Amino acid sequence: MEYITPFLPLIGVIIGGIITGVVTSNVQKKAFERQRVWDKEKLEEQFNREQLMKKLEVYTKLLRVNGEVKITDFDMYTGERSFNHEPYELKVKPILFESFHLLSPKIAECTQEIENLLSKWDAMEEADEGEADYACSQYKKIVSEIKNELDQFRKRHEIK
């Protein structure tokens, strides 16, 4: 016992050092994990914001082109609607497919419906009766859905 007594303070310091090291390590692990989760959430939020801004940019471009070019036409005398596929393919289609993955499901579906009709028209070299009406209605849905999404964005962000 006499031989152990001088070493007791040293043993206490060693045990205290070990306990301090374990506690500090656990605290640092938890702090590091919290920081990692926070950084991940921050990156995801930034990514989502960038994607939203790209989507809004595409929608704005499309609305601008919609105002400049006549894609759908209505004949007052016959009551028939026609779909002007050339300006659609030259002006609208590149904008829609520039960021197709960002489009809302409704807009993507309408776009795909128009693309299916255009492919059919290319193969058949003419439109069947009612298909031009259908293409016009799909295009109108695209424009309407874009306006709705922009209105919702303005409401969410209190833009007047």
Side-chain angles (χ1 to χ4, degrees):
M1 193 75 154
E2 288 179 25
Y3 298 112
I4 297 177
T5 307
F7 294 110
L8 284 178
L10 180 62
I11 292 172
V13 168
I14 291 172
I15 292 174
I18 291 172
I19 292 172
T20 302
V22 168
V23 169
T24 302
S25 175
N26 285 338
V27 168
Q28 286 178 344
K29 282 181 187 176
K30 288 180 183 177
F32 176 73
E33 183 62 25
R34 278 190 303 246
Q35 182 67 35
R36 189 184 66 76
V37 167
W38 184 77
D39 287 345
K40 182 180 176 186
E41 288 172 354
K42 186 178 175 183
L43 284 174
E44 286 175 358
E45 184 179 311
Q46 181 180 357
F47 175 78
N48 290 338
R49 189 177 311 118
E50 288 173 2
Q51 295 302 307
L52 175 64
M53 296 314 292
K54 286 180 184 177
K55 179 179 179 178
L56 293 175
E57 191 175 303
V58 167
Y59 287 175
T60 303
K61 283 181 188 177
L62 187 84
L63 289 178
R64 180 180 43 79
V65 168
N66 184 59
E68 294 172 355
V69 178
K70 201 173 220 181
I71 304 298
T72 62
D73 205 5
F74 180 75
D75 187 340
M76 291 175 47
Y77 301 108
T78 64
E80 291 181 3
R81 292 194 301 177
S82 61
F83 186 79
N84 301 323
H85 65 90
E86 287 181 27
Y88 173 85
E89 292 191 48
L90 292 174
K91 301 271 187 172
V92 175
K93 184 177 178 176
I95 294 171
L96 288 170
F97 283 95
E98 174 182 320
S99 299
F100 189 79
H101 62 286
L102 297 176
L103 302 177
S104 75
K106 287 181 183 178
I107 294 172
E109 181 182 330
C110 291
T111 302
Q112 199 58 51
E113 288 291 324
I114 293 172
E115 287 304 308
N116 292 342
L117 283 174
L118 292 176
S119 295
K120 182 179 176 185
W121 293 348
D122 283 345
M124 305 291 271
E125 296 183 6
E126 64 179 59
D128 287 343
E129 190 174 318
E131 287 181 339
D133 262 356
Y134 185 69
C136 290
S137 69
Q138 293 300 306
Y139 183 73
K140 295 286 185 188
K141 285 180 187 177
I142 290 172
V143 172
S144 177
E145 185 64 25
I146 287 173
K147 288 179 180 178
N148 286 339
E149 285 196 36
L150 291 174
D151 286 344
Q152 289 174 2
F153 176 78
R154 286 186 191 102
K155 287 177 185 174
R156 266 195 317 268
H157 299 285
E158 298 178 3
I159 300 172
K160 297 179 180 182

